[in-house]
Amino acid sequence: MFELVEFPSEGAILRGRFYRPAQAPPWPTAVMTHGTTATITMCLDRYAEVFCRAGLAVLLYDHRNFGLSGGEPRQLINPWLQARGYRDAMNYLLTRADVDRDRIAAWGDSYSGMIALAVGALDPRYAAVAVQCPACGIETPKLAADERHFRTMQTIFDDGDITGTPETTTGPLPVVSADQIGSPSLLKPIQAYRWFIDYGGRHGTLWENRVIRVIPPTAVPFSAYLAAPFIRGATLLMAGRNDEMVHCNPDVTSAVFGLMRCRKQWADIDGGHFGLLYCPGEIFEQASAAQCAFLTDALDAQVTRA
C-alpha cells in the first residue's frame, strides 16, 4: 500500500511513507504528520490506511529531528521548522506525476494540528486542511489577527531567522512521566503518559521519551490564531470534548475557528485528546470516517472549481 520516500527540508532529510490508492492516478493527496514527538506508526499509519482505501494518496512523514527523519539536535521541536516541513512536503509532491497538484490537503494532530492550520494560510498551494485536537494555545495572543501581523508571520515562514535562544528553550526533559514531582515532563496529564508509553513503547516506532522545545523569539509568534483569517482552503477542525491538554484550551480553539473566513466545518469528538488515537476503537472509526468524507468532498470540489 505504501512506498518509503524521503525529501530535503531545512538542511535535513525527512522520511516517511507514500500511500498509493488502488484508483488510477493522478491522486488527491493528504500530507500527514504527528503531534509532539510522536512518530508515523503511532496510529497515524492507521488513518493513512483509511484515507488510502477511500482513494486518497497520503504522504505520512516524521518531523525533522524525530523518528525516521534526519536533523540535529535529535528530539528538538521548533514550530517554524515543522511548518517548513509541510512546505517541503508540498515541494516533493509537486515532483510526482501521480499526484494531482491542485488537490493536496494538510492534515495534523495536536501540535501538528495547530501547525497545519497555520500552513493552510502560509502556503497557498494547500487546497484543504483537516486537523484533530489542535493545540492552538493556552491563551490567545495579545496581537490582533490582522493583515499586518500575518504578513510578518509570512515573512518569517518564508526565510526568516527561526533560531532559538537559551531563554526560549525548554529541556531536554521527558515527554511524559508518571511522577510529576520527581521527574516533571513536558506533557503532564496521565492520559498523555498512558498513550505515549503504550504506542511509543511498541516495537519499531523509534519514539524516545525525551524532548527539547524551542519557541524562537520572532517578531510575532507562530500562531494558528494569527493565521486563521487567512486560511484559504476548506478546513475541518475536529475538537476533543473535555480535552486534557492545557494547550488545547477550548476557548482558544473556538476563537481560531471563529476567525476563519474560508469554507469551514466544526466537529466534536468524544475521548478527550487521545481517544481518537487508539485503534481499533469506536472513536477512531468515527473520527477517520468523518475526516475521510470531508477531505474527499473538499478535494473533489477543487475539480468542480477548475
Side-chain angles (χ1 to χ4, degrees), residues 56 234 263 265 291-305:
L56 295 171
R263 174 189 164 200
Q265 180 178 326
Q291 294 167 18
C292 192
F294 173 83
L295 287 169
T296 300
D297 177 69
L299 295 177
D300 284 350
Q302 293 297 113
V303 177
T304 303
R305 293 190 188 97

Side-chain angles (χ1 to χ4, degrees), residues 5 7 17-18 28-32 57-60 86-101 103-105 126:
V5 296
F7 55 92
R17 299 172 174 180
F18 184 80
T29 303
V31 175
M32 300 181 66
V58 175
L59 174 58
L60 171 61
Y86 276 93
R87 179 185 65 189
D88 297 325
M90 171 65 77
N91 292 339
Y92 164 73
L93 288 176
L94 294 182
T95 69
R96 297 186 62 116
D98 53 7
V99 168
D100 187 333
R101 63 186 302 123
R103 294 195 291 160
I104 301 175
Y126 278 101

Side-chain angles (χ1 to χ4, degrees), residues 17-193:
R17 299 172 174 180
F18 184 80
Y19 288 77
R20 303 182 302 266
Q23 294 83 345
W27 301 302
T29 303
V31 175
M32 300 181 66
T33 63
H34 230 312
T36 301
T37 78
T39 58
I40 62 175
T41 57
M42 293 168 66
C43 193
L44 286 207
D45 53 337
R46 307 306 295 273
Y47 276 93
E49 291 168 5
V50 172
F51 298 163
C52 188
R53 286 194 293 269
L56 295 171
V58 175
L59 174 58
L60 171 61
Y61 68 92
D62 283 329
H63 286 297
R64 190 185 195 278
N65 308 328
F66 293 91
L68 294 170
S69 291
E72 296 287 343
R74 302 303 293 170
Q75 303 301 117
L76 182 142
I77 295 173
N78 178 326
W80 297 99
L81 272 178
Q82 294 191 350
R84 290 177 181 178
Y86 276 93
R87 179 185 65 189
D88 297 325
M90 171 65 77
N91 292 339
Y92 164 73
L93 288 176
L94 294 182
T95 69
R96 297 186 62 116
D98 53 7
V99 168
D100 187 333
R101 63 186 302 123
D102 296 319
R103 294 195 291 160
I104 301 175
W107 187 102
D109 165 67
S110 189
Y111 197 62
S112 287
M114 179 276 291
I115 291 171
L117 287 171
V119 167
L122 294 166
D123 191 334
R125 298 172 297 178
Y126 278 101
V129 180
V131 300
Q132 60 184 34
C133 302
C136 293
I138 298 175
E139 59 184 8
T140 56
K142 305 301 186 220
L143 303 175
D146 58 24
E147 186 173 353
R148 178 171 66 91
H149 291 129
F150 178 70
R151 283 201 306 268
T152 302
M153 192 175 173
Q154 182 78 64
T155 299
I156 298 167
F157 172 74
D158 288 344
D159 57 10
D161 182 0
I162 56 171
T163 306
T165 65
E167 294 75 21
T168 61
T169 299
T170 303
L173 75 167
V175 180
V176 292
S177 170
D179 178 10
Q180 290 303 316
I181 296 175
S183 181
S185 56
L186 182 68
L187 308 181
K188 301 187 182 305
I190 192 64
Q191 295 88 345
Y193 174 82

Side-chain angles (χ1 to χ4, degrees), residues 185-203:
S185 56
L186 182 68
L187 308 181
K188 301 187 182 305
I190 192 64
Q191 295 88 345
Y193 174 82
R194 288 171 175 162
W195 183 80
F196 273 96
I197 296 303
D198 181 352
Y199 275 76
R202 298 181 182 187
H203 177 71

